[in-house]
Amino acid sequence: MADNTNAAAEVAAGAPPGMPQLDVSTFENQIFWLLIALVAIYFVLSRVALPRIAGILAERQGTITNDIAAAEDLKARALEAEAAYDNALSDARAEAQRIAGETKAAIQADLDVAIEKADAEIAAKAAESEKAIAGIRAGAQEAIKEVAKDTAKEIVAHLGGKADARSITTAVTSRMKG
Amino acid sequence: MADEAHGGGGLSFHPMDQFQVKPLFGSYGDPIHWYTVTNVTLWLGLSILAVIALMVLTTSKRDVVPGRGQSIAELMYGFVYKMVEDVTGKDGIKYFPYIMTLFMFILCANFLGLIPMSFTTTSHIAVTAILGFGVFFAVTILGFVKNGASFLGLFWVSSAPLPLRPVLAIIEIISYFVRPVSHSIRLAGNMMAGHAVLKVFAGFAQVAAIAPVAIIGVMAIYGLEVLVSAIQAYVFTILTCVYLKDALHPHH
Amino acid sequence: MEGELAHIGAGLAAIGSGAAAIGVGHVAGNFLAGALRNPSAAAGQTATLFIGIAFAEALGIFSFLVALLLMFAV
């Protein structure tokens, strides 16, 4: 914007008032310089700036595409690794289960053998004991029979009778059985 | 704003003086030849430098991750490129450098004109008429070269009822020839009006009582002018794209 | 006297600026009304909005130009 003092001086000097835009005498000057400016800007843009920016944008697009592809690749690899890990984990789990089962079976077998052996021993001991008890019982019956016979004989003798050994034995035996 | 010539009270307004074309060297009365170096030359040259600074220097590093300047350059590029692609279609892309030239020139000239004491090259009808008629002739010639006589189908609205078509054709032809006039006068008029209003508000600041209001007014109008500068560059460019589309695809 | 008439004419021509303001407001207001009804379609129509505003405004600029011509060139 032109300063006022200048403008006032120009008006005083006889410059035409009105619109400078309609001053035809300046047109060819403006048009000449405008054409030069347009051509200059056109060449600067079309030769230098626009190809360069297009190149930068294409390069960025390429980089982004590459990066996305790399990221996809890494993601696929991560998924693969996860699958492998899962596989290994389930394998290990199955193995552990197998080992545990085997161990359990072995222990069960040992246990069964031991229990059988113990059962057999217990049965043997029980039979022995029963035998001993039966012997003792038989011994005891015999002794009771003797005692009863003797006692009966003595009692009969004391009562003044003559005890018949065979009838006493028969009586005692029948009593004992009864 | 008329008071300059007729002396309005105590105030002196010179809203149009800012548009005066003056020789850069020498005094005011010197004749202006076509080759004379004037303030027009200076500010057109600064526009070129601004375009170079904005589009070339900022992108010299070719960063994949752009910095501030490069982002601006890429933003401009993407903005105009998308505009051309959206409006004219794929076959308009090869005219992209021309449209980019227009956009960058008008944008830089408009913004440089907003610097106080500067000269607004785009406020001159001579400048914008060259731009507007340049687009008009380029588009018309291109239309005839690309489509031959069928380019005239642009004026024959085949979707309208038959009796209406001649009337519509006349209207279309008139509007076609008004295009370059409105195209150029819109730009020059917007810039001229805004700057003249700025000057008028600045003139009110000569009275101490209303000076604060006037200065606030100047600030507000200045903000509006920044907006108008960008919008006018955008409008000029998008209308160029629309005209180009008509030339490439003349059938409605 | 003729100069005075030209000034009056310039003032009358300046009314056109107000008319253009109404036109621009109409365009922007209708765009906003439509955009609020269907916000998803609004983004694609901003170019049309600006073209409409530019056309409406150009006629106001013409009246401004007539005013300037009456002021300075007649």
Side-chain angles (χ1 to χ4, degrees), chain A residues 1-4 7 10-11 15 18-21 25-35 37-38 40-42 44-46 48-50 52-54 56-57 59-60 63, chain B residues 4 14 16-22 28 32-36 38 41 44 48 55-56 59-60 62-64 66 70 74 77 98 101 105 117-118 123-124 126-127 130-131 192 199:
Chain A
M1 301 174 199
D3 52 2
N4 281 344
E10 285 152 13
V11 171
M19 289 173 72
Q21 277 90 348
S25 66
T26 64
F27 275 19
E28 46 190 34
N29 177 274
Q30 295 190 51
I31 291 167
F32 170 66
W33 291 112
L34 171 69
L35 290 179
L38 284 181
I41 291 174
Y42 174 72
V44 166
L45 285 180
S46 66
V48 185
L50 298 185
R52 187 187 282 176
I53 295 174
I56 291 170
L57 291 180
E59 191 185 326
R60 177 170 316 141
T63 312
Chain B
E4 185 226 1
H14 304 282
M16 305 313 265
D17 284 354
Q18 57 181 321
F19 303 122
Q20 228 128 38
V21 177
K22 284 172 285 190
Y28 176 75
I32 294 168
H33 305 291
W34 60 270
Y35 53 84
T36 312
T38 56
T41 320
L44 285 175
I48 301 174
M55 300 300 287
V56 178
T59 56
S60 58
R62 297 162 184 267
D63 290 331
V64 172
Q70 196 182 322
E74 286 174 10
Y77 180 93
Y98 302 93
T101 304
F105 169 71
M117 312 296 288
S118 74
S123 69
H124 271 262
V127 169
I130 290 296
L131 296 174
M192 196 199 323
K199 254 302 171 63

Coordinates of all heavy atoms in Angstrom, one line a residue, chain A residues 1-4 7 10-11 15 18-21 25-35 37-38 40-42 44-46 48-50 52-54 56-57 59-60 63, chain B residues 4 14 16-22 28 32-36 38 41 44 48 55-56 59-60 62-64 66 70 74 77 98 101 105 117-118 123-124 126-127 130-131 192 199:
Chain A
M1 N 0.8 -1.2 0.0 CA 0.0 0.0 0.0 C 0.9 1.2 0.0 O 1.8 1.4 0.8 CB -0.9 0.0 1.3 CG -1.7 -1.2 1.4 SD -2.6 -1.3 2.9 CE -3.1 -3.0 3.0
A2 N 0.6 2.1 -0.9 CA 1.4 3.3 -1.1 C 1.2 4.2 0.1 O 0.1 4.3 0.6 CB 1.1 4.0 -2.4
D3 N 2.2 4.9 0.5 CA 1.9 5.8 1.7 C 1.3 7.1 1.2 O 1.4 7.5 0.1 CB 3.2 6.0 2.5 CG 4.3 6.5 1.6 OD1 4.1 6.7 0.4 OD2 5.4 6.7 2.1
N4 N 0.6 7.7 2.2 CA -0.3 8.8 1.8 C 0.4 10.1 1.3 O 0.0 10.8 0.4 CB -1.2 9.2 3.0 CG -2.3 8.2 3.1 OD1 -2.6 7.5 2.2 ND2 -3.0 8.2 4.3
A7 N 1.2 9.7 -2.3 CA 0.0 9.8 -3.1 C -0.4 11.2 -3.2 O -0.8 11.7 -4.3 CB -1.1 8.9 -2.5
E10 N 1.7 12.9 -5.5 CA 1.4 12.6 -6.9 C 0.1 13.3 -7.4 O 0.1 13.7 -8.6 CB 1.2 11.0 -7.0 CG 2.5 10.3 -6.9 CD 2.4 8.9 -6.3 OE1 1.3 8.5 -6.2 OE2 3.4 8.4 -6.0
V11 N -0.9 13.3 -6.6 CA -2.1 14.0 -7.0 C -1.8 15.5 -7.3 O -2.3 16.0 -8.3 CB -3.2 13.9 -5.9 CG1 -4.4 14.8 -6.2 CG2 -3.7 12.4 -5.8
A15 N -1.3 13.7 -11.2 CA -1.7 12.3 -11.6 C -3.2 12.2 -11.7 O -3.9 12.8 -11.0 CB -1.2 11.4 -10.5
G18 N -8.6 8.4 -9.8 CA -9.5 7.3 -10.3 C -8.8 6.0 -10.1 O -7.9 5.8 -9.2
M19 N -9.3 5.0 -10.9 CA -8.8 3.7 -10.7 C -7.5 3.4 -11.5 O -7.5 3.5 -12.7 CB -9.9 2.7 -11.1 CG -11.1 2.6 -10.2 SD -12.3 1.6 -10.9 CE -11.6 0.0 -10.7
P20 N -6.5 3.1 -10.8 CA -5.2 2.7 -11.5 C -5.4 1.5 -12.4 O -4.7 1.3 -13.3 CB -4.2 2.5 -10.4 CG -4.8 3.1 -9.2 CD -6.3 3.1 -9.3
Q21 N -6.4 0.7 -12.0 CA -6.7 -0.5 -12.7 C -7.1 -0.2 -14.2 O -7.0 -1.1 -15.1 CB -7.8 -1.4 -12.1 CG -7.3 -2.2 -11.0 CD -7.4 -1.5 -9.6 OE1 -7.6 -0.3 -9.6 NE2 -7.2 -2.2 -8.6
S25 N -2.3 2.6 -20.0 CA -0.9 2.8 -20.3 C 0.0 1.8 -19.6 O 1.1 1.5 -20.0 CB -0.5 4.2 -20.1 OG -0.5 4.5 -18.7
T26 N -0.5 1.3 -18.4 CA 0.3 0.4 -17.7 C 0.1 -1.1 -18.0 O 0.7 -2.0 -17.5 CB 0.1 0.5 -16.2 OG1 -1.2 0.2 -15.9 CG2 0.3 2.0 -15.7
F27 N -0.9 -1.3 -18.9 CA -1.3 -2.7 -19.1 C -0.2 -3.6 -19.7 O 0.0 -4.7 -19.3 CB -2.6 -2.7 -20.0 CG -3.9 -2.6 -19.3 CD1 -3.9 -2.1 -18.0 CD2 -5.0 -3.0 -19.9 CE1 -5.1 -1.9 -17.3 CE2 -6.2 -2.8 -19.2 CZ -6.3 -2.3 -17.9
E28 N 0.4 -3.0 -20.8 CA 1.4 -3.8 -21.5 C 2.6 -4.2 -20.5 O 3.1 -5.3 -20.6 CB 1.9 -3.2 -22.8 CG 2.2 -1.8 -22.7 CD 2.4 -1.2 -24.1 OE1 1.7 -1.6 -25.0 OE2 3.3 -0.3 -24.2
N29 N 2.9 -3.2 -19.7 CA 4.0 -3.5 -18.7 C 3.6 -4.6 -17.8 O 4.3 -5.6 -17.6 CB 4.2 -2.2 -17.9 CG 5.2 -2.4 -16.8 OD1 4.9 -2.8 -15.7 ND2 6.5 -2.1 -17.1
Q30 N 2.3 -4.6 -17.2 CA 1.9 -5.6 -16.3 C 1.8 -7.0 -17.0 O 2.2 -8.0 -16.5 CB 0.5 -5.3 -15.8 CG 0.5 -4.1 -14.9 CD -0.9 -3.9 -14.3 OE1 -1.3 -4.9 -13.7 NE2 -1.5 -2.8 -14.4
I31 N 1.3 -6.9 -18.3 CA 1.1 -8.2 -19.0 C 2.4 -8.8 -19.3 O 2.6 -10.0 -19.1 CB 0.3 -8.0 -20.3 CG1 -1.2 -7.6 -19.9 CG2 0.3 -9.2 -21.1 CD1 -2.0 -7.1 -21.0
F32 N 3.4 -8.0 -19.7 CA 4.7 -8.5 -20.0 C 5.3 -9.2 -18.8 O 5.7 -10.4 -18.9 CB 5.6 -7.3 -20.5 CG 7.0 -7.7 -20.6 CD1 7.5 -8.6 -21.5 CD2 8.0 -7.1 -19.7 CE1 8.8 -8.9 -21.7 CE2 9.3 -7.4 -19.8 CZ 9.7 -8.3 -20.8
W33 N 5.3 -8.5 -17.7 CA 6.0 -9.1 -16.5 C 5.2 -10.3 -16.0 O 5.7 -11.3 -15.4 CB 6.2 -8.0 -15.4 CG 7.2 -7.0 -15.8 CD1 7.0 -5.7 -16.0 CD2 8.6 -7.2 -15.9 NE1 8.1 -5.1 -16.4 CE2 9.1 -6.0 -16.3 CE3 9.4 -8.3 -15.8 CZ2 10.5 -5.8 -16.5 CZ3 10.8 -8.2 -16.0 CH2 11.3 -6.9 -16.4
L34 N 3.8 -10.2 -16.1 CA 3.0 -11.3 -15.7 C 3.3 -12.6 -16.4 O 3.5 -13.7 -15.9 CB 1.5 -11.0 -15.8 CG 0.6 -12.2 -15.6 CD1 0.6 -12.6 -14.1 CD2 -0.8 -11.9 -16.0
L35 N 3.5 -12.4 -17.8 CA 3.8 -13.6 -18.6 C 5.1 -14.2 -18.2 O 5.3 -15.4 -18.1 CB 3.8 -13.2 -20.1 CG 2.4 -12.9 -20.6 CD1 2.4 -12.5 -22.1 CD2 1.4 -14.1 -20.4
A37 N 6.5 -14.0 -15.3 CA 6.4 -14.7 -14.0 C 5.7 -16.0 -14.1 O 6.1 -17.0 -13.5 CB 5.6 -13.8 -13.0
L38 N 4.6 -16.0 -15.0 CA 3.9 -17.3 -15.1 C 4.8 -18.4 -15.7 O 4.8 -19.5 -15.3 CB 2.6 -17.1 -16.0 CG 1.5 -16.4 -15.3 CD1 0.3 -16.3 -16.3 CD2 1.0 -17.2 -14.1
A40 N 8.0 -18.5 -15.6 CA 9.0 -18.9 -14.6 C 8.4 -19.9 -13.6 O 9.0 -20.9 -13.3 CB 9.6 -17.7 -13.9
I41 N 7.3 -19.5 -13.1 CA 6.7 -20.4 -12.1 C 6.3 -21.8 -12.7 O 6.5 -22.8 -12.1 CB 5.4 -19.8 -11.5 CG1 5.8 -18.6 -10.7 CG2 4.6 -20.7 -10.6 CD1 4.6 -17.8 -10.2
Y42 N 5.8 -21.7 -14.0 CA 5.5 -23.0 -14.6 C 6.7 -23.9 -14.7 O 6.7 -25.1 -14.4 CB 4.9 -22.7 -16.0 CG 4.7 -24.0 -16.8 CD1 3.6 -24.9 -16.4 CD2 5.5 -24.4 -17.8 CE1 3.4 -26.1 -17.0 CE2 5.3 -25.6 -18.5 CZ 4.2 -26.4 -18.1 OH 4.1 -27.6 -18.7
V44 N 9.6 -23.7 -13.0 CA 10.0 -24.1 -11.7 C 9.2 -25.3 -11.2 O 9.7 -26.3 -10.7 CB 10.0 -23.0 -10.7 CG1 10.1 -23.5 -9.3 CG2 11.1 -22.0 -11.0
L45 N 7.9 -25.2 -11.4 CA 7.0 -26.2 -10.8 C 7.1 -27.5 -11.6 O 7.3 -28.6 -11.1 CB 5.5 -25.8 -10.8 CG 5.2 -24.8 -9.7 CD1 3.7 -24.4 -9.8 CD2 5.4 -25.3 -8.3
S46 N 7.0 -27.4 -13.0 CA 6.9 -28.6 -13.8 C 8.2 -29.3 -13.9 O 8.3 -30.5 -14.1 CB 6.3 -28.3 -15.1 OG 7.2 -27.5 -15.9
V48 N 11.0 -28.9 -11.6 CA 11.7 -29.2 -10.3 C 10.7 -29.7 -9.3 O 10.8 -30.8 -8.8 CB 12.5 -28.0 -9.8 CG1 13.3 -28.3 -8.6 CG2 13.4 -27.4 -10.9
A49 N 9.8 -28.8 -8.9 CA 9.0 -29.1 -7.7 C 8.1 -30.3 -7.8 O 8.1 -31.1 -7.0 CB 8.2 -27.8 -7.3
L50 N 7.3 -30.3 -8.9 CA 6.2 -31.3 -8.9 C 6.8 -32.7 -9.1 O 6.4 -33.6 -8.4 CB 5.3 -31.0 -10.1 CG 4.5 -29.7 -9.9 CD1 3.5 -29.5 -10.9 CD2 3.9 -29.6 -8.5
R52 N 9.6 -33.7 -8.1 CA 10.3 -34.0 -6.8 C 9.3 -34.5 -5.8 O 9.4 -35.5 -5.1 CB 11.1 -32.8 -6.3 CG 11.9 -33.1 -5.1 CD 12.5 -31.9 -4.6 NE 13.7 -31.4 -5.3 CZ 14.3 -30.3 -5.1 NH1 13.9 -29.5 -4.1 NH2 15.3 -29.9 -5.8
I53 N 8.2 -33.7 -5.7 CA 7.2 -34.0 -4.7 C 6.5 -35.4 -5.0 O 6.3 -36.2 -4.2 CB 6.1 -32.9 -4.5 CG1 6.8 -31.7 -4.0 CG2 5.0 -33.3 -3.6 CD1 6.0 -30.5 -3.9
A54 N 6.3 -35.5 -6.4 CA 5.7 -36.8 -6.8 C 6.6 -38.0 -6.4 O 6.1 -39.0 -5.9 CB 5.4 -36.8 -8.3
I56 N 8.8 -38.0 -3.9 CA 8.8 -38.2 -2.5 C 7.5 -39.0 -2.1 O 7.6 -39.9 -1.3 CB 8.8 -36.8 -1.8 CG1 10.1 -36.1 -2.0 CG2 8.5 -37.0 -0.3 CD1 10.1 -34.7 -1.5
L57 N 6.4 -38.6 -2.7 CA 5.2 -39.3 -2.3 C 5.2 -40.7 -2.7 O 4.8 -41.6 -1.9 CB 4.0 -38.6 -2.9 CG 3.7 -37.2 -2.4 CD1 2.5 -36.6 -3.1 CD2 3.4 -37.2 -0.9
E59 N 7.9 -42.5 -3.1 CA 8.8 -43.2 -2.3 C 8.2 -43.6 -0.9 O 8.4 -44.7 -0.4 CB 10.0 -42.3 -2.1 CG 11.2 -43.0 -1.5 CD 12.3 -42.0 -1.2 OE1 12.5 -41.0 -2.0 OE2 13.0 -42.1 -0.2
R60 N 7.5 -42.6 -0.4 CA 6.8 -42.8 0.9 C 5.8 -43.9 0.8 O 5.7 -44.8 1.6 CB 6.1 -41.5 1.4 CG 5.4 -41.8 2.7 CD 4.9 -40.5 3.3 NE 5.9 -39.5 3.2 CZ 5.7 -38.2 3.0 NH1 4.5 -37.8 2.7 NH2 6.7 -37.3 2.9
T63 N 7.7 -47.1 0.7 CA 8.2 -47.4 2.0 C 7.0 -48.0 2.9 O 7.2 -49.0 3.6 CB 8.7 -46.2 2.7 OG1 9.6 -45.6 1.8 CG2 9.5 -46.6 4.0
Chain B
E4 N -11.4 11.1 -1.9 CA -10.1 11.5 -2.4 C -10.2 12.6 -3.4 O -9.5 13.6 -3.4 CB -9.3 10.3 -3.0 CG -7.9 10.6 -3.4 CD -7.6 10.0 -4.8 OE1 -8.5 9.4 -5.4 OE2 -6.5 10.2 -5.2
H14 N -7.4 7.7 0.5 CA -6.8 7.4 -0.8 C -6.8 5.9 -1.0 O -5.8 5.2 -1.1 CB -5.3 7.8 -0.8 CG -5.2 9.3 -0.5 ND1 -5.5 10.3 -1.5 CD2 -4.9 9.9 0.6 CE1 -5.3 11.5 -0.9 NE2 -4.9 11.3 0.3
M16 N -7.5 4.0 -3.5 CA -7.0 3.4 -4.7 C -5.6 3.6 -5.0 O -5.0 3.0 -5.9 CB -7.9 3.9 -5.9 CG -9.4 3.7 -5.7 SD -9.8 2.1 -5.2 CE -10.2 1.3 -6.7
D17 N -4.9 4.4 -4.2 CA -3.5 4.8 -4.5 C -2.6 3.6 -4.4 O -1.6 3.5 -5.0 CB -3.0 5.9 -3.5 CG -3.6 7.2 -3.9 OD1 -4.2 7.3 -5.0 OD2 -3.4 8.2 -3.2
Q18 N -3.0 2.6 -3.5 CA -2.2 1.5 -3.3 C -2.0 0.6 -4.6 O -1.2 -0.2 -4.6 CB -2.8 0.6 -2.2 CG -4.2 0.2 -2.5 CD -4.8 -0.6 -1.4 OE1 -4.1 -1.5 -0.8 NE2 -6.0 -0.4 -1.1
F19 N -2.9 0.8 -5.5 CA -2.9 0.0 -6.7 C -2.1 0.7 -7.9 O -2.1 0.1 -9.0 CB -4.3 -0.3 -7.2 CG -5.2 -0.9 -6.2 CD1 -6.4 -0.3 -5.8 CD2 -4.8 -2.1 -5.6 CE1 -7.1 -0.9 -4.8 CE2 -5.6 -2.7 -4.7 CZ -6.8 -2.1 -4.2
Q20 N -1.5 1.9 -7.6 CA -0.8 2.6 -8.6 C 0.4 1.8 -9.1 O 1.2 1.3 -8.3 CB -0.4 3.9 -8.1 CG -0.8 5.0 -9.1 CD -1.5 6.1 -8.4 OE1 -1.2 6.5 -7.2 NE2 -2.5 6.7 -9.0
V21 N 0.6 1.8 -10.4 CA 1.8 1.2 -11.0 C 2.8 2.3 -11.1 O 2.6 3.3 -11.8 CB 1.4 0.6 -12.4 CG1 2.7 0.0 -13.0 CG2 0.4 -0.5 -12.2
K22 N 4.0 2.0 -10.5 CA 5.0 3.1 -10.5 C 6.3 2.5 -11.0 O 6.6 1.3 -10.7 CB 5.2 3.7 -9.1 CG 4.1 4.6 -8.7 CD 4.2 5.0 -7.3 CE 3.7 3.9 -6.4 NZ 3.6 4.3 -5.0
Y28 N 7.8 9.6 -10.4 CA 6.5 9.1 -10.8 C 6.1 9.4 -12.2 O 5.5 8.6 -12.9 CB 5.5 9.8 -9.8 CG 4.1 9.4 -10.2 CD1 3.6 8.2 -10.0 CD2 3.3 10.3 -10.9 CE1 2.3 7.8 -10.3 CE2 2.0 10.0 -11.3 CZ 1.5 8.7 -11.0 OH 0.3 8.3 -11.4
I32 N 5.8 4.7 -18.6 CA 5.9 3.3 -18.3 C 5.9 2.5 -19.6 O 4.8 2.4 -20.3 CB 4.8 2.8 -17.3 CG1 5.0 3.5 -16.0 CG2 4.8 1.3 -17.2 CD1 3.8 3.3 -15.1
H33 N 7.0 2.0 -20.0 CA 7.1 1.2 -21.2 C 6.8 -0.3 -20.8 O 6.8 -0.6 -19.7 CB 8.4 1.3 -21.9 CG 8.8 2.7 -22.2 ND1 8.1 3.5 -23.2 CD2 9.7 3.6 -21.7 CE1 8.6 4.7 -23.2 NE2 9.6 4.8 -22.3
W34 N 6.7 -1.1 -21.8 CA 6.4 -2.5 -21.5 C 7.6 -3.2 -20.8 O 7.4 -4.1 -20.0 CB 6.0 -3.3 -22.8 CG 7.1 -3.3 -23.8 CD1 7.3 -2.4 -24.8 CD2 8.1 -4.3 -24.0 NE1 8.3 -2.8 -25.6 CE2 8.9 -3.9 -25.1 CE3 8.5 -5.4 -23.2 CZ2 10.0 -4.6 -25.5 CZ3 9.6 -6.2 -23.7 CH2 10.4 -5.8 -24.8
Y35 N 8.8 -2.6 -20.9 CA 9.9 -3.3 -20.3 C 10.3 -2.6 -19.0 O 11.2 -3.0 -18.3 CB 11.1 -3.3 -21.3 CG 11.4 -1.9 -21.8 CD1 12.2 -1.0 -21.1 CD2 10.9 -1.5 -23.1 CE1 12.5 0.3 -21.6 CE2 11.2 -0.2 -23.6 CZ 12.0 0.7 -22.8 OH 12.2 1.9 -23.3
T36 N 9.6 -1.5 -18.6 CA 10.0 -0.7 -17.5 C 9.9 -1.6 -16.2 O 8.9 -2.3 -16.0 CB 9.1 0.5 -17.3 OG1 9.0 1.2 -18.5 CG2 9.7 1.4 -16.2
T38 N 8.9 -2.0 -12.8 CA 7.9 -1.3 -11.9 C 7.7 -2.1 -10.6 O 8.3 -3.2 -10.4 CB 6.6 -1.1 -12.6 OG1 6.1 -2.4 -13.0 CG2 6.7 -0.2 -13.8
T41 N 6.7 -5.5 -11.3 CA 7.8 -6.4 -11.5 C 8.4 -7.0 -10.2 O 8.6 -8.2 -10.0 CB 9.0 -5.7 -12.2 OG1 8.5 -4.9 -13.3 CG2 10.0 -6.7 -12.8
L44 N 5.7 -9.4 -8.6 CA 5.7 -10.6 -9.3 C 6.9 -11.4 -9.1 O 6.8 -12.7 -8.9 CB 5.5 -10.3 -10.8 CG 4.1 -9.9 -11.3 CD1 4.2 -9.5 -12.8 CD2 3.1 -10.9 -11.0
I48 N 7.3 -15.2 -7.5 CA 8.1 -16.3 -8.0 C 9.0 -16.9 -6.9 O 9.1 -18.1 -6.6 CB 9.0 -15.9 -9.2 CG1 8.1 -15.4 -10.3 CG2 9.8 -17.1 -9.7 CD1 8.9 -14.8 -11.4
M55 N 7.8 -24.4 -2.6 CA 7.7 -25.7 -3.3 C 9.1 -26.4 -3.5 O 9.1 -27.6 -3.6 CB 7.0 -25.6 -4.6 CG 5.6 -25.0 -4.5 SD 4.5 -26.0 -3.4 CE 4.2 -27.4 -4.5
V56 N 10.1 -25.6 -3.7 CA 11.4 -26.2 -4.0 C 12.3 -26.3 -2.8 O 12.9 -27.4 -2.5 CB 12.1 -25.4 -5.2 CG1 13.4 -26.0 -5.5 CG2 11.2 -25.3 -6.4
T59 N 11.4 -28.9 -0.1 CA 11.5 -30.3 -0.4 C 12.9 -30.7 -0.8 O 13.1 -31.8 -1.3 CB 10.5 -30.6 -1.6 OG1 10.9 -29.7 -2.7 CG2 9.1 -30.3 -1.3
S60 N 13.9 -29.9 -0.6 CA 15.2 -30.2 -1.1 C 15.8 -31.4 -0.3 O 16.7 -32.1 -0.9 CB 16.1 -29.0 -0.9 OG 16.2 -28.6 0.5
R62 N 14.1 -34.1 0.6 CA 13.4 -35.3 0.2 C 13.2 -36.3 1.3 O 13.5 -37.5 1.2 CB 14.1 -36.0 -0.9 CG 14.2 -35.2 -2.2 CD 15.3 -35.7 -3.1 NE 15.5 -34.9 -4.3 CZ 14.9 -35.2 -5.4 NH1 14.1 -36.2 -5.5 NH2 15.2 -34.4 -6.4
D63 N 12.8 -35.8 2.5 CA 12.6 -36.7 3.6 C 11.4 -37.6 3.4 O 10.4 -37.2 2.8 CB 12.3 -35.8 4.9 CG 13.5 -35.1 5.3 OD1 14.7 -35.6 5.1 OD2 13.4 -34.0 5.9
V64 N 11.6 -38.8 3.9 CA 10.4 -39.7 3.8 C 9.4 -39.3 4.9 O 8.2 -39.3 4.7 CB 10.9 -41.2 4.0 CG1 9.7 -42.1 4.2 CG2 11.7 -41.6 2.8
P66 N 8.2 -36.1 6.5 CA 8.3 -34.7 6.1 C 8.5 -33.8 7.3 O 7.9 -34.1 8.4 CB 7.1 -34.4 5.3 CG 6.1 -35.4 5.8 CD 6.8 -36.6 6.2
Q70 N 8.2 -29.2 4.3 CA 7.9 -30.2 3.3 C 6.4 -30.6 3.4 O 5.8 -30.9 2.4 CB 8.8 -31.4 3.4 CG 8.8 -32.3 2.2 CD 9.7 -33.5 2.4 OE1 10.8 -33.4 3.0 NE2 9.3 -34.6 1.9
E74 N 3.8 -30.6 0.3 CA 3.1 -31.9 0.0 C 1.6 -31.6 0.1 O 0.8 -32.2 -0.7 CB 3.5 -33.0 0.9 CG 4.8 -33.5 0.5 CD 5.3 -34.6 1.5 OE1 4.5 -35.0 2.3 OE2 6.5 -34.9 1.4
Y77 N 0.4 -29.8 -2.9 CA 0.5 -30.7 -4.1 C -0.7 -31.6 -4.0 O -1.5 -31.7 -5.0 CB 1.8 -31.5 -4.0 CG 1.9 -32.5 -5.1 CD1 2.6 -32.1 -6.3 CD2 1.4 -33.8 -5.0 CE1 2.8 -33.1 -7.3 CE2 1.6 -34.7 -6.0 CZ 2.3 -34.3 -7.2 OH 2.5 -35.2 -8.1
Y98 N -0.2 -27.0 -15.1 CA -0.7 -25.7 -15.5 C -1.6 -25.2 -14.4 O -1.5 -24.0 -14.0 CB -1.5 -25.8 -16.8 CG -0.7 -26.3 -18.0 CD1 -0.8 -27.6 -18.3 CD2 0.0 -25.4 -18.7 CE1 0.0 -28.1 -19.3 CE2 0.7 -25.9 -19.8 CZ 0.7 -27.2 -20.1 OH 1.5 -27.7 -21.1
T101 N 0.3 -24.2 -11.4 CA 1.0 -22.9 -11.6 C 0.0 -21.8 -11.3 O 0.4 -20.8 -10.6 CB 1.4 -22.8 -13.1 OG1 2.3 -23.9 -13.4 CG2 2.1 -21.5 -13.3
F105 N 0.6 -19.3 -8.1 CA 0.8 -17.9 -8.4 C -0.2 -17.0 -7.7 O 0.1 -16.1 -7.0 CB 0.8 -17.6 -9.9 CG 0.8 -16.2 -10.2 CD1 1.9 -15.4 -10.0 CD2 -0.4 -15.6 -10.7 CE1 1.8 -14.0 -10.3 CE2 -0.4 -14.3 -11.0 CZ 0.7 -13.5 -10.8
M117 N 2.1 -2.1 2.9 CA 2.9 -1.3 2.0 C 3.2 -2.1 0.7 O 4.0 -1.6 -0.1 CB 4.3 -0.9 2.6 CG 4.1 -0.2 4.0 SD 3.2 1.3 3.9 CE 4.4 2.4 3.1
S118 N 2.7 -3.2 0.6 CA 3.0 -4.0 -0.6 C 2.0 -3.7 -1.8 O 1.1 -2.8 -1.6 CB 2.9 -5.5 -0.3 OG 1.5 -5.9 -0.2
S123 N -4.8 -7.7 -7.9 CA -5.9 -6.8 -7.8 C -6.1 -6.0 -9.1 O -7.0 -5.2 -9.3 CB -5.7 -5.8 -6.7 OG -4.7 -4.9 -7.0
H124 N -5.2 -6.2 -10.1 CA -5.3 -5.5 -11.4 C -6.0 -6.3 -12.4 O -5.7 -7.5 -12.6 CB -3.9 -5.2 -11.8 CG -3.4 -3.8 -11.3 ND1 -3.5 -2.7 -12.0 CD2 -2.9 -3.5 -10.1 CE1 -3.1 -1.7 -11.3 NE2 -2.7 -2.2 -10.1
A126 N -5.9 -6.1 -15.5 CA -5.0 -6.5 -16.6 C -4.4 -7.9 -16.3 O -4.3 -8.8 -17.2 CB -3.9 -5.5 -16.8
V127 N -4.0 -8.1 -15.0 CA -3.3 -9.3 -14.7 C -4.3 -10.5 -14.7 O -4.1 -11.5 -15.3 CB -2.7 -9.2 -13.3 CG1 -2.2 -10.5 -12.7 CG2 -1.5 -8.3 -13.4
I130 N -5.6 -11.6 -18.1 CA -4.7 -12.5 -18.8 C -4.9 -13.9 -18.2 O -5.0 -14.9 -19.0 CB -3.2 -12.0 -18.6 CG1 -3.0 -10.7 -19.4 CG2 -2.3 -13.1 -19.1 CD1 -3.2 -10.9 -20.9
L131 N -5.0 -14.0 -16.9 CA -5.2 -15.4 -16.3 C -6.5 -16.0 -16.8 O -6.6 -17.1 -17.3 CB -5.1 -15.3 -14.8 CG -3.8 -14.8 -14.2 CD1 -4.1 -14.7 -12.7 CD2 -2.7 -15.8 -14.4
M192 N -9.3 -6.2 -4.9 CA -9.4 -4.7 -4.9 C -10.3 -4.3 -3.8 O -10.0 -3.4 -3.0 CB -10.0 -4.3 -6.2 CG -9.8 -2.8 -6.5 SD -10.9 -2.3 -7.8 CE -10.9 -3.6 -8.9
K199 N -8.1 0.2 3.4 CA -7.6 1.5 3.4 C -8.6 2.5 3.9 O -8.3 3.5 4.6 CB -7.3 1.9 1.9 CG -5.8 1.9 1.6 CD -5.1 2.9 2.5 CE -3.6 2.9 2.5 NZ -3.0 3.2 1.3

